Amino acid sequence: MKKSFYFLCTLALTGTLFSCNPTENEPAETDYTKYVNTFIGAADNGHTFPGACRPFGMIQTSPVTGAVGWRYCSEYVNSDSIIWGFTQTHLNGTGCMDLGDVLVMPVTGTRTRAWDAYRSRFSKKQEAATPGYYTVELTEPNVKAELTATPHAALHRYTYHNADSASVLIDLQHGPTWNENQYHSQVKECEVNWEDAQTLTGHVRNSVWVNQDYFFVMKFNRPVTDSLYLPMGETEKGKRIIASFDMQPGEELLMKVALSTTGIEGARKNMEAEVPAWDFEGVKKTAHDDWNSYLSRIDVTGTEDEKTNFYTCFYHALIQPNQISDVDGLYRNAADSVVKAGTGTFYSTFSLWDTYRAAHPFYTLMVPEKVDGFVNSLVEQSEVQGFLPIWGLWGKETYTMVGNHGVSVIAEAYRKGFRGFDAERAFNAIKQTQTVSHKQKSDWETYMKYGYFPTDLIKTESVSSSLESVYDDYAAADMAKRMGKTEDAAYFSKRADFYKNLFDTETQFMRPRNSDGTWKTPFNPSQVAHAESTGGDYTEGNAWQYTWHVQHEPDSLINMLGGEDAFITKLDSLFILKEVVHNEGFSSDVTGLIGQYAHGNEPSHHVAYLYRMAGKPSKTEELVNYICKTKYLDRVDGLCGNDDCGQMSAWYVFSAMGFYPVNPCGGEYILGAPQLPRITIELGNNKRFVVETVNYSLENIHVRKIELNGKELTGNSISHKDIMEGGILKFYMMK
């Protein structure tokens, strides 16, 4: 049965803190950055970028090969052969457009051209990147471009092999957008000022996904000899400037660009603090050492490909959330007020619908010193806008996706012993978020009246909104219980059972329901819904994918489906039924298909681990192995879906280690099967946790027994507490 199931799957798709900051640690002996391939995921689907950034930094300076349409959410597609320029901020692996601030491009030759005539061809053979550094040879201007970064500033180095009218294009109209019209109209305000011959400052207000204000200081290492402004289109307000320099062939032009949400002086402080000199090699080395310090927290053995997959995923998971506060702690909040972060650093870029599932649990293990800062940032934004961020960007709210999983992130942190935030204040934010309705996403009166969101009263995503909200209710109840808030715990515990109201015993699916209690008809469980295009009752998914979304009570779901045997039969069907196709409401986000299972989208991420919880660990082991080997590859198209701010990557890192947080707030990780011979996790405070795979081979994908510190584990999970205490987890493998 084990082998036959694996064959069918194959056919279906031929509170412990670190004692110091990472940058203060002794340099790691091993260069772990050499195993990071920043180009993985940079094909059409992964939406990653290859450029330079720092862990959790504001700046992501990277090349632009396109900016219009969904495939350019990160502004880079590896198959392209033209570079538009280099922008200083990017989203990592998202399915929406924004950032892409301050496009610059070294140019030579005729200075005055059409706005889109400064682009250049480039050869893939002359493009390379490592964490914190990117370089490419630009054919038309004959310039070598190099980029590196600090948390708040980018440093560019351009070597002009010829110096015919050596110039730089500064394009402040640019930004990734959904269509051509938006590209030329997204800037609402733009002001620039040449402070001196080497310094340009400015402010841009734009609106694509959020209403964004950014301020910049741009400084060159040699004086601008001349500058001109290109003509602006009818709907354009962003300036395009050509700045020229007196240069000889082979000479270098250095350029610093620092950003701030607060003002010009904020950007200037950031630049002076982080890039006081013109030391490109020094900044590049510091960026490398910073990344290597983080990556050295996990040491793995394996093949070169295995290490590349692992450390690239580790790297992608650490790009965000991004600190958007200045070096002095000031930032612009959701009310457009400049305030100081309560703990000195304010973070944004919270793709919470995605990242609450595995990325944030990963942070509690691997970057615990950041977790309190994330929680405090969520709470601070909540107190300004009235609810916890749904999808926070640049300190503002995008109202993207469903549920409000800032609740889960906070409750998980509290469950795991983090106390660097005011628990009463945090719980008040949770309670307000889950009980006070707001204009776009939370109609709690309707939710409480019916015990679900009725499909005839809710415009779209009724089933997903209900199930995602139920999980947040569970998280709120758990935190309330642990804080001794008996009344609140009882209230939210009752709501945490609302998933039962959407389970249709006849079809055995989580199904859209009307306000009169009847089921919506017609009903096709394979029909994919998508709020922005096809509409429907699910979020980037269908009934097959969302029926398993009872992360907090899988045992209850098993019983609802008729017990373990019936549950397993149903789960088998998920992986072997016909895949979703375009004419059935296909969404571009529903990818990485194995039957109806979609690994490229987050609601499916915990599902493979449900087999173990239903008494069939061998099937979990088979599927985890299959997904790791087929959906994560060392190539540009090696991700089967958007990386979604590190969630896809976090799934792989957890699964490679042999366990996964099915219920992030539960404090437990469900056991699977490790994908590497040995993994050593440095926990800080001289503690380490080792995952050792006995009898490791490509053929030995099943687990015979598991031991923790020499004692056999008989349950389905290992606790967060057990991991953080350190020790050795041994998996004994067999065919």
Side-chain angles (χ1 to χ4, degrees):
M1 183 64 187
K2 296 176 182 178
K3 291 184 178 180
S4 63
F5 178 79
Y6 186 71
F7 179 69
L8 285 172
C9 287
T10 304
L11 289 179
L13 184 70
T14 295
T16 299
L17 301 180
F18 283 77
S19 58
C20 56
N21 292 323
T23 53
E24 298 171 346
N25 292 340
E26 292 294 322
E29 293 183 3
T30 303
D31 183 6
Y32 295 92
T33 69
K34 69 182 181 180
Y35 300 116
V36 175
N37 179 356
T38 68
F39 294 95
I40 290 178
D44 287 347
N45 206 43
H47 292 180
T48 62
F49 62 87
C53 61
R54 297 284 283 275
F56 311 107
M58 172 188 277
I59 293 294
Q60 308 84 29
T61 183
S62 191
V64 175
T65 67
V68 179
W70 184 81
R71 78 193 289 251
Y72 289 110
C73 292
S74 74
E75 299 192 283
Y76 183 91
V77 175
N78 190 77
S79 59
D80 290 342
S81 58
I82 301 289
I83 284 179
W84 294 22
F86 308 97
T87 50
Q88 315 316 307
T89 58
H90 290 84
L91 289 164
N92 170 39
T94 67
C96 285
M97 322 288 291
D98 214 313
L99 303 184
D101 303 313
V102 191
L103 183 140
V104 294
M105 181 66 168
V107 296
T108 56
T110 304
R111 294 196 300 157
T112 305
R113 313 176 201 171
W115 68 273
D116 58 353
Y118 296 90
R119 302 167 185 175
S120 175
R121 291 174 293 121
F122 72 106
S123 170
K124 294 294 178 184
K125 295 179 180 179
Q126 294 179 304
E127 182 186 36
T130 60
Y133 175 73
Y134 171 89
T135 183
V136 67
E137 292 278 353
L138 300 169
T139 303
E140 269 67 37
N142 197 13
V143 170
K144 179 181 181 180
E146 298 173 273
L147 317 176
T148 189
T150 68
H152 296 88
L155 181 57
H156 296 223
R157 180 166 65 187
Y158 304 138
T159 304
Y160 289 77
H161 301 306
N162 66 57
D164 177 18
S165 299
S167 305
V168 171
L169 165 69
I170 306 163
D171 187 344
L172 301 177
Q173 178 62 42
H174 176 86
T177 59
W178 292 103
N179 55 64
E180 192 73 26
N181 288 336
Q182 189 181 37
Y183 184 85
H184 296 286
S185 62
Q186 51 99 9
V187 175
K188 309 305 179 186
E189 183 181 343
C190 178
E191 303 169 303
V192 296
N193 176 48
W194 284 104
E195 293 190 347
D196 55 48
Q198 292 175 247
T199 309
L200 178 70
T201 62
H203 164 229
V204 176
R205 176 175 295 141
N206 58 29
S207 181
V208 178
W209 197 7
V210 293
N211 295 320
Q212 182 196 21
D213 283 89
Y214 69 85
F215 301 81
F216 70 90
V217 174
M218 180 181 293
K219 189 175 284 290
F220 300 96
N221 70 330
R222 59 180 69 221
V224 175
T225 58
D226 187 27
S227 65
L228 58 89
Y229 291 79
L230 299 179
M232 298 168 62
E234 183 179 351
T235 61
E236 295 182 341
K237 295 184 179 180
K239 305 288 195 302
R240 295 189 181 96
I241 305 168
I242 300 294
S244 299
F245 305 86
D246 183 9
M247 297 183 62
Q248 298 298 313
E251 289 187 331
E252 296 174 353
L253 175 68
L254 292 172
M255 178 184 68
K256 307 173 187 177
V257 187
L259 294 185
S260 172
T261 69
T262 65
I264 300 297
E265 292 310 306
R268 198 185 319 274
K269 289 177 184 177
N270 292 339
M271 180 179 289
E272 291 172 351
E274 296 180 353
V275 201
W278 295 103
D279 184 7
F280 186 94
E281 293 300 325
V283 174
K284 175 185 173 184
K285 183 179 185 305
T286 301
H288 167 274
D289 292 348
D290 193 11
W291 276 112
N292 203 43
S293 180
Y294 276 96
L295 297 173
S296 69
R297 295 182 179 189
I298 307 179
D299 181 78
V300 307
T301 59
T303 66
E304 292 297 296
D305 282 353
E306 289 171 336
K307 289 182 179 180
T308 297
N309 276 333
F310 187 92
Y311 285 105
T312 302
C313 285
F314 193 177
Y315 166 82
H316 279 145
L318 300 182
I319 291 175
Q320 61 293 293
N322 305 123
Q323 58 171 303
I324 66 165
S325 52
D326 296 336
V327 292
D328 58 4
L330 295 175
Y331 72 98
R332 184 176 300 274
N333 68 13
D336 279 326
S337 298
V338 175
V339 299
K340 189 164 186 174
T343 55
T345 305
F346 183 87
Y347 295 91
S348 195
T349 319
F350 285 107
S351 183
L352 293 163
W353 182 82
D354 307 288
T355 56
Y356 88 92
R357 305 168 195 271
H360 280 279
F362 182 65
Y363 302 146
T364 67
L365 277 177
M366 297 316 309
V367 287
E369 74 276 19
K370 299 292 184 183
V371 172
D372 290 321
F374 297 160
V375 171
N376 281 307
S377 297
L378 293 171
V379 173
E380 284 187 28
Q381 186 167 337
S382 171
E383 292 175 342
V384 175
Q385 66 187 28
F387 54 92
L388 287 164
I390 300 169
W391 211 121
L393 179 64
W394 212 246
K396 307 291 181 65
E397 180 54 65
T398 70
Y399 296 97
T400 303
M401 312 310 288
V402 297
N404 199 309
H405 298 309
V407 173
S408 171
V409 170
I410 294 171
E412 177 193 16
Y414 191 80
R415 171 74 176 257
K416 291 179 176 178
F418 290 88
R419 296 295 184 267
F421 57 91
D422 186 326
E424 286 290 339
R425 184 181 172 195
F427 185 78
N428 287 339
I430 286 175
K431 189 173 180 177
Q432 180 162 328
T433 297
Q434 291 299 101
T435 59
V436 179
S437 299
H438 58 84
K439 60 181 181 178
Q440 290 205 33
K441 291 288 183 177
S442 299
D443 182 356
W444 298 121
E445 289 77 17
T446 298
Y447 182 72
M448 289 301 297
K449 180 178 180 179
Y450 298 98
Y452 57 94
F453 289 116
T455 183
D456 56 330
L457 301 182
I458 302 298
K459 186 177 179 180
T460 58
E461 306 173 293
S462 67
V463 177
S464 295
S465 292
S466 298
L467 296 174
E468 302 272 7
S469 297
V470 161
Y471 185 76
D472 294 334
D473 288 331
Y474 154 78
D478 187 77
M479 186 168 175
K481 180 180 178 181
R482 295 175 189 283
M483 294 179 68
K485 298 179 180 294
T486 305
E487 186 176 340
D488 289 324
Y491 174 79
F492 287 114
S493 292
K494 179 181 178 180
R495 290 176 31 155
D497 279 342
F498 280 1
Y499 66 90
K500 298 174 183 177
N501 298 330
L502 288 181
F503 183 74
D504 177 14
T505 57
E506 183 176 345
T507 63
Q508 297 207 315
F509 285 104
M510 296 291 180
R511 181 174 174 182
R513 196 168 193 174
N514 295 306
S515 56
D516 64 3
T518 60
W519 299 110
K520 179 181 179 180
T521 57
F523 172 62
N524 179 359
S526 298
Q527 183 77 36
V528 171
H530 188 260
E532 300 299 323
S533 55
T534 61
D537 292 284
Y538 303 89
T539 301
E540 300 177 3
N542 60 23
W544 271 109
Q545 293 149 18
Y546 256 98
T547 292
W548 319 99
H549 206 283
V550 189
Q551 295 168 271
H552 61 301
E553 291 186 347
D555 289 343
S556 173
L557 182 62
I558 291 170
N559 291 332
M560 290 164 63
L561 282 164
E564 290 184 346
D565 290 343
F567 181 89
I568 290 166
T569 298
K570 179 88 169 181
L571 200 50
D572 286 350
S573 298
L574 170 72
F575 290 98
I576 61 177
L577 286 181
K578 185 181 72 169
E579 297 173 10
V580 176
V581 295
H582 288 233
N583 63 6
E584 293 180 345
F586 178 82
S587 167
S588 55
D589 296 293
V590 183
T591 57
L593 294 166
I594 309 174
Q596 293 284 329
Y597 172 90
H599 190 74
N601 211 32
E602 279 66 26
S604 291
H605 275 189
H606 69 287
V607 174
Y609 289 87
L610 296 179
Y611 276 116
R612 182 174 188 105
M613 305 184 78
K616 288 292 182 181
S618 62
K619 293 193 174 185
T620 291
E621 295 151 14
E622 291 168 6
L623 277 165
V624 168
N625 178 272
Y626 182 73
I627 295 166
C628 287
K629 296 296 190 291
T630 63
K631 308 302 180 188
Y632 297 86
L633 303 171
D634 181 13
R635 62 193 199 199
V636 294
D637 62 348
L639 290 180
C640 65
N642 296 341
D643 194 56
D644 285 314
C645 292
Q647 169 59 27
M648 282 281 292
S649 291
W651 186 96
Y652 180 87
V653 174
F654 266 125
S655 294
M657 294 192 297
F659 44 86
Y660 184 81
V662 169
N663 175 11
C665 293
E668 302 281 329
Y669 303 92
I670 302 304
L671 295 162
Q675 302 300 306
L676 294 163
R678 186 179 178 89
I679 300 170
T680 302
I681 304 170
E682 299 293 343
L683 299 170
N685 293 338
N686 297 314
K687 291 183 179 181
R688 60 179 49 175
F689 186 79
V690 178
V691 179
E692 185 176 325
T693 311
V694 182
N695 298 323
Y696 175 85
S697 74
L698 294 178
E699 294 77 26
N700 292 345
I701 65 172
H702 293 291
V703 178
R704 180 169 62 83
K705 69 173 180 177
I706 306 171
E707 293 178 346
L708 177 61
N709 298 326
K711 183 179 180 180
E712 186 170 356
L713 291 179
T714 56
N716 292 320
S717 64
I718 183 172
S719 72
H720 181 80
K721 182 176 181 291
D722 282 340
I723 293 174
M724 297 307 291
E725 287 178 351
I728 300 177
L729 183 67
K730 281 190 179 183
F731 290 81
Y732 292 80
M733 307 302 293
M734 64 182 184
K735 290 186 178 179

